[in-house]
Each structure stands twice: as structure tokens, then as C-alpha cells.
Amino acid sequence: MDTVAGAVTHDPPPTAGGRQGKPLIVTEDALLLDDLLRLCAAAGATPEVHHSVPERRGSWDSAPLVLVGDDAAHRVRGAARRRGVVLVGRDQDDSGVWRRAVEIGADHVLMLPDGEQWLVDRIADVAEGVGRPALTVGVIGGRGGAGASTLACALAVTSAREGLRTLLVDADPLGGGLDVLLGGETAEGLRWPAFAASRGRVGGGALEESLPRLHSLRVLSWDRGDCVAVPPQAVRAVLAAARRRGGTVVVDLPRRVDDGVAEALAQLDLAIVVVPAELRAVAAAGRVASAAGMVVRDLRVAVRGPYAPGLDDREVARLLGLPLAGEVPVESGLLRPDGGKAPPGATARGPLARFCKGFWERALTEAGGS
């Protein structure tokens, strides 16, 4: 059992199957109820309210979160034990709260007002129907012009075509914009500068709905303004919200690692360094991999030809000391001056799309399924 006053270091249990549900409040304390209703409103949830254990037993058993006022602890003492019960009080000096929490099988003891932010986050998880977090993959160029943005777009397009909820994040403000690469620079929706002031928690559903929808996926890119940096706190909040929505998140990363990029790297499940098969590119990629590898737990290399004499994909991986993600094929249509009408990976039978499909199949299997 945990007592909560502000931050907490563990994640709440997900609702069954990632479904949305209403929190249940049990209290007769009018002032406490007002506070809990205010916190529910801030989290975007509409609770069910009772003075004691509901006569309709199903709502006690099925509610994803139960908030029991300390005044009502004795009235729920005989209720069936379940996870997700929080005993909420105000008296920091009341040692008896622990005994009452044990009697009702509470997971947490929360004291207001100190624990308000934790509780808002917990209720918001319920409102969003948090389930398995998104498999989050970063793509980094081993050197300039390596094709990292092309691969990032192709991975996202392929993921969306496979029916996964997909978000493509452009974390490189100097890269020209992934919305341009996808042919959607004029599409309606928010760009990174709109989130620069974000702090704390960003609603995952609101984030998704606010972004441009291109080729069945959502894209967070840069506008054409002067903003070329977003504070690390905003990067953390936005990517955490994206991960809570499930599916996949693909992040196109710059080669330099500043505070904002470090926050993005910390959210990744794995990262791919794209390396052209030439010695200078391998040397440059070594420096990039060294910096990224200090944050990313799972760093792999994808090699792009043509190959310099004496090099192949396995030799590049050996020189960098990284696992091989595969050889990135060249798609001829992308070499035309206009880049082609379709985005990278849009041709399902093309070599790039086949590479990306194989990558997702392996990565999702390793992650335990989608």
C-alpha cells in the first residue's frame, strides 16, 4: 500500500482491455465530494457517486477506479476486495487512516490537497482507457542525408496500413518537416510550437485529435515559423500522451542530442541508426550511436547501400557494435526530383514497405504483440 502526496513512481493498473470507464466515488462528505468532482472534471471524467457501496454490485466490481472518502471507510468495510481502491482523506496526522485502508483493501492512501496532481493523472488514465503503451521507435541518421526521415515515414505509413493506431513525430526542427515529405504541409492541425508551453499531463485523445491526419496516421511536425526548439518538459508531456494511446509511435530524430532530444530518446522502446555503407558514414554513425546509446536501451543499425568495397550490412553492424535491423532497400520512385506523388512506403508491394512490414512483425513480437 502506498501513501500519495504529489508524485508517484509507479504506473496505475490499466483498465481491462484498455476500455474507458467511470470512476466511482463513495463519500457523504460534501466538501470532499466537491474536491473530487473538481479533480474528475480536470481529468475529463464523469464519475458515479454513492454514499456507500452501491446496491447494484456491478458498479463496485467493474469501476476502473474507486475513490473512498475517509468518512465512508466503515460503510464499505464488507465490500468485495478488488484492485484500484484509493482511500482519500485530509488529516495528515491521523494514524488511524492506515488501519481503515487495510480494512477496506485500499491500494493507496491519498491526502488532499497534496495528492491532487497524482489523482488527476490517475483519473485521466481511466478517462482515456489506458491499455498497453505504444511501441515507440526512433530513427536517427548516422550522418546527414542517410535517409532517416524517409525510413521514419515509411515505418509510420506501413504501421497505419497494417491497421495500427500510428503517430509520426518530427523531432528535428531543422529537417524541413515530415508533413512536407508526406505531402501535407497545408493540412489543418497543430504543430510543435502549439505544445511548447505544455507541462504536466497532456490528454492523449485531445493530442491525437488535434494533429493533422495524413495517410491514415497522425503527424506532429513543425510549422514554417521561427520556433526551432521545444522545452524538454513539453517533449516529455507530449510523447507520454502519445504513448498512452497505444499502437505505434515513430520519432524522426536529429543527430545532435540536446535536452529535448534526450527526453525523446528516453521514451523510446528501441532506436534505429540509419547508416550508408561507406567508411566515413560508419565513422560518423559511431559518434551518433555513442551519444544515443547513453539513453536508449535498445539501439540497432539499419544499413543502406550501395556498398563501398569490403563492406556489407553485417560488417557495418560489427564495426558499430550494434545489432543489425536489416538492409534498407532503395525505392527508385523516391529518387525523382519531385519525390514521387506517394509518401515513402506507400506502395505495399515495394521493397521499402516490405522491409518495414518485416520490421514491425519482429518488433511487435518482441514486445509481446500489438
Side-chain angles (χ1 to χ4, degrees):
M1 185 192 307
D2 299 310
T3 185
V4 179
V8 68
T9 58
H10 62 275
D11 295 327
T15 60
R19 296 188 302 272
Q20 293 183 356
K22 290 185 176 182
L24 173 65
I25 297 175
V26 181
T27 184
E28 282 187 324
D29 184 330
L31 294 177
L32 179 61
L33 178 59
D34 284 345
D35 280 338
L36 293 178
L37 290 175
R38 171 177 56 82
L39 297 177
C40 285
T46 302
E48 183 178 338
V49 180
H50 292 270
H51 297 317
S52 60
V53 177
E55 294 182 5
R56 183 167 52 88
R57 181 181 174 185
S59 59
W60 171 270
D61 294 334
S62 63
L65 180 66
V66 178
L67 307 177
V68 179
D70 196 25
D71 67 290
H74 67 283
R75 293 194 295 277
V76 303
R77 193 176 297 154
R81 296 299 175 101
R82 50 153 295 162
R83 294 183 64 199
V85 175
V86 180
L87 182 62
V88 185
R90 295 181 182 280
D91 188 354
Q92 302 277 1
D93 299 322
D94 181 8
S95 59
V97 70
W98 293 104
R99 174 180 52 81
R100 294 188 291 276
V102 171
E103 289 174 348
I104 68 173
D107 298 326
H108 306 278
V109 172
L110 182 140
M111 292 296 172
L112 297 180
D114 291 349
E116 285 193 357
Q117 186 57 58
W118 181 89
L119 188 54
V120 169
D121 288 348
R122 183 74 176 267
I123 298 168
D125 282 340
V126 170
E128 291 183 21
V130 172
R132 184 190 298 275
L135 177 59
T136 306
V137 177
V139 185
I140 315 169
R143 66 153 169 79
S149 295
T150 296
L151 179 58
C153 283
L155 285 169
V157 168
T158 303
S159 171
R161 186 171 51 245
E162 294 298 310
L164 296 171
R165 174 186 276 123
T166 305
L167 173 62
L168 175 61
V169 178
D170 186 352
D172 185 358
L174 303 180
L178 293 186
D179 53 350
V180 176
L181 190 55
L182 290 170
E185 60 270 28
T186 61
E188 293 186 0
L190 299 182
R191 268 67 173 177
W192 264 119
F195 299 98
S198 298
R199 299 292 186 274
R201 184 188 181 97
V202 173
L207 171 69
E208 184 176 16
E209 291 302 317
S210 72
L211 299 177
R213 182 177 177 86
L214 303 169
H215 306 284
S216 300
L217 59 94
R218 298 286 180 171
V219 182
L220 176 54
S221 190
W222 299 84
D223 62 14
R224 312 282 85 84
D226 296 331
C227 178
V228 293
V230 171
Q233 305 96 307
V235 175
R236 182 189 312 127
V238 168
L239 288 181
R243 285 176 57 81
R244 288 196 302 271
R245 295 294 288 168
T248 67
V249 176
V250 181
V251 186
D252 183 28
L253 293 155
R255 289 182 294 126
R256 57 178 179 80
V257 178
D258 58 17
D259 290 343
V261 174
E263 285 292 347
L265 288 168
Q267 300 264 4
L268 301 179
D269 294 303
L270 66 94
I272 302 171
V273 181
V274 183
V275 184
E278 56 186 51
L279 287 176
R280 288 186 64 193
V282 173
R287 292 188 289 272
V288 173
S290 177
M294 296 177 66
V295 184
V296 181
R297 294 165 295 178
D298 186 351
L299 187 63
R300 311 179 190 184
V301 60
V303 183
R304 182 172 62 81
Y307 292 94
L311 286 181
D312 59 20
D313 52 357
R314 289 180 175 81
E315 178 63 11
V316 172
R318 187 193 69 79
L319 290 170
L320 291 173
L322 296 175
L324 180 63
E327 179 184 355
V328 181
V330 175
E331 204 155 279
S332 59
L334 298 177
L335 301 180
R336 298 199 307 270
D338 63 357
K341 294 182 179 180
T347 304
R349 295 183 179 181
L352 187 55
R354 292 199 302 270
F355 170 87
C356 292
K357 182 177 181 180
F359 168 83
W360 285 124
E361 288 174 350
R362 293 188 299 273
L364 289 167
T365 298
E366 293 168 3
S370 58

